[in-house]
Amino acid sequence: MRGSPDIRPFRALDHIADWSWLDKPAKTVRKAVFKVFSNRQVRDVLHGVWLGHPLHPMSVQVPIGAFLSAGVVDALPDSGPGERRVAGSLITMGVLTSLPAALSGLTDFAQGQPDQQRTGLVHATANSAALACYLVSLRQRARGRQAAAVATGWAGLTLLATGGLLGGHLSYHQANGANQAEDVLHIGPREWTEIGNVHDLPDRVPVQRMAGEVPVVVLRDGEDTHVLADRCSHASGPLHEGTLSWPAGPGEAPCLECPWHGSVFRVGDGSVVHGPATAPQPGFHTRVVGDRLQIRLR
């Protein structure tokens, strides 16, 4: 209805992406991540290339579950020494498993878009404050200060929920980690579709063509022609502006590196060679009829 107010309870989350003053600390964190994880294979593991989707959402399940369970145990009436030990053990598990979760999240953060990094920095700050609360809670438990330990633990859980809210906003509203090429499988041509004269294609130079509504990147490599969706599955970078590389093995198709964040795909089948992309690039069958190149979705 025209003129009706925006009553979304969490609309303030949208404004975090506009906080340009966060760009300087985000740049510092990004540099630190690339310095610590200079090995690309290590970053691929943390991104979740081997898994086929981002590792971070899966890796946070254990610490969140442990911290939440500790809060439930602490809330039980008349909890005795046994319950207190259980709560302490759960918090310890949460603290220890937070490390791999944080590392995978930082790796994704370092190769996000500026607006995503602003939200991601606030998300990480809330989670770091929650972790600090749980460390304090463990120390208080060790000193026998149960009431203070429980209160600090619940403060940590509140901060963790705030971080989770921001993480959900980052993943679903800002699409950080989402497969940006998924729509190609729904709107790409399933029947043979002509995209131009094969002789107009330069050799070993990626070019963009349109297949109906879908932009595609076309690479002619001698007698072979490879076609992938043009927009990178990581962040929609234009692959036709990317860099080609050739593997050492004879007869293997070349690879194409996205110009935005460096994701590398095999042009033969669209599989991910290096992240931050975790989803393969949609590919197309090709055939030449006369001198006209035709494609259809695989």
Side-chain angles (χ1 to χ4, degrees), residues 71-79 83:
V72 171
V73 172
D74 278 338
L76 294 174
D78 302 320
S79 60
E83 288 82 358

Side-chain angles (χ1 to χ4, degrees), residues 150-229:
V150 170
T152 309
W154 274 94
L157 191 60
T158 301
L159 287 165
L160 195 67
T162 302
L165 175 65
L166 288 162
H169 184 78
L170 182 61
S171 298
Y172 295 106
H173 186 78
Q174 295 182 281
N176 185 42
N179 178 5
Q180 302 294 332
E182 175 65 19
D183 63 324
V184 173
L185 301 178
H186 305 288
I187 64 175
R190 297 189 177 276
E191 303 296 331
W192 288 110
T193 301
E194 184 178 303
I195 62 171
N197 191 315
V198 70
H199 301 299
D200 292 338
L201 299 172
D203 191 44
R204 294 191 168 186
V205 177
V207 295
Q208 187 191 61
R209 294 290 185 268
M210 294 298 297
E213 302 177 50
V214 179
V216 296
V217 56
V218 184
L219 178 70
R220 184 167 68 88
D221 182 16
E223 296 299 318
D224 298 321
T225 305
H226 307 284
V227 182
L228 299 176

